[in-house]
Amino acid sequence: MVLMREVVPVRRNADELAKMRRAGRVVAEMHEVTRAAAKPGVTTLDIDRAARGVLERRGAKSNFLNYHGFPAVICTSPNNVIVHGIPGDYLLKEGDILSIDCGAIVEGYHGDAAFTMAIGEVSAEAEKLIRVTDESLWAGIAAMVEGNRLHDIGLAVQTVAEGAGYTVVREYVGHGIGTKMHEEPAVPNYWPGTPGPKLKAGMVFAVEPMVNLGSAATKVLDDQWSVVTADGKLSAHAEHTIAVTEDGPEVFTVAD
Ligand code: MG
Ligand code: MG
């Protein structure tokens, strides 16, 4: 989401958090199934079909399908595509990197998470970009403790990504999540100049660094969805849905 405004995030009760945990587990299963399906010779539409199977088996709804007209249940963003790639006839090949973004709704509550993977053997440069993007996400997650401020998350992400010589995308950011996929507040992957509200137990965010090998500049393709790097270089994306709890961050979008 794009919005940036100072708001106090909603705090979810135990019942709501339990539903979000269940939605998160469905998203984790979508990750497992799509990761296994993504290999050379497979189209991104094939991967979308695999993800639909998980939603059907779990009786979960898709929050991506028909979102502002989006035609699939996942986003598939290869190589220079940062986010919001539409599954289609793109044939994966050895050496590609691919971001897969998945979401699910369970009993009205949302989960949202993404990962970037190597298709077969990839360059050392691509492998490192994927690893650092992951590390930047986990640094952001580690900052989700009571008493910290919202934008300590972005500062932690930025420090890891830029420390490795990469750039973080500015135009697209993480977000609050709950009864809608995209809720306030915006969760930037950089220090926006102010600390933001205090983090308290029950707040839930989707943290999602988009890390570029070259410049941070983006553009949108003619399909009106695919966000690509302006310089054509590689980009990686990683996301989890996480709650602040009294015992530290709890990641919902991982397997039990
Ligand atoms: Mg996502
Ligand atoms: Mg998201």
Side-chain angles (χ1 to χ4, degrees), residues 27 30-31 34-35 38 43-45 47-49 51-52 55 62-67 69-79 81-88 90 92 97-104 112-117 172 175 181-182 208 210 223-227 237-239:
V27 174
M30 293 170 83
H31 280 198
T34 56
R35 186 184 281 279
T43 69
T44 48
L45 191 61
I47 303 171
D48 184 68
R49 279 198 203 96
R52 281 176 201 248
L55 291 168
S62 174
N63 38 13
F64 286 32
L65 186 64
N66 299 323
Y67 181 87
F70 192 77
V73 303
I74 62 173
C75 299
T76 49
S77 306
N79 301 323
V81 185
I82 301 168
V83 285
H84 303 165
I86 304 171
Y90 180 80
L92 293 172
I97 68 169
L98 179 69
S99 150
I100 301 179
D101 197 343
C102 301
D112 179 15
F115 64 96
T116 298
M117 64 179 288
Y172 303 88
H175 47 92
M181 177 160 62
H182 293 149
E208 52 177 316
M210 290 146 259
D223 66 16
Q224 300 301 315
W225 280 105
S226 306
V227 180
H237 176 215
E239 175 180 31

Side-chain angles (χ1 to χ4, degrees), residues 126-157:
E127 210 162 81
K128 185 181 170 197
L129 177 68
I130 293 171
R131 191 186 72 237
V132 170
T133 302
D134 234 31
E135 286 168 2
S136 75
L137 169 60
W138 285 97
I141 292 170
M144 286 183 60
V145 293
E146 279 198 304
N148 263 3
R149 301 289 192 139
L150 178 66
H151 299 315
D152 289 325
I153 300 170
L155 180 62
V157 169

Side-chain angles (χ1 to χ4, degrees), residues 4-19:
M4 181 92 68
R5 196 156 66 81
E6 193 85 340
V7 288
V8 177
V10 175
R11 298 173 71 181
R12 304 285 171 189
N13 65 33
D15 178 59
E16 294 177 294
L17 293 173
K19 288 172 181 163

Side-chain angles (χ1 to χ4, degrees), residues 188-227:
N189 296 301
Y190 55 89
W191 180 257
T194 56
K198 259 193 184 150
L199 297 180
K200 297 201 169 120
M203 294 177 178
V204 187
F205 306 118
V207 178
E208 52 177 316
M210 290 146 259
V211 179
N212 292 357
L213 200 59
S215 106
T218 69
K219 61 180 188 185
V220 179
L221 295 185
D222 288 342
D223 66 16
Q224 300 301 315
W225 280 105
S226 306
V227 180

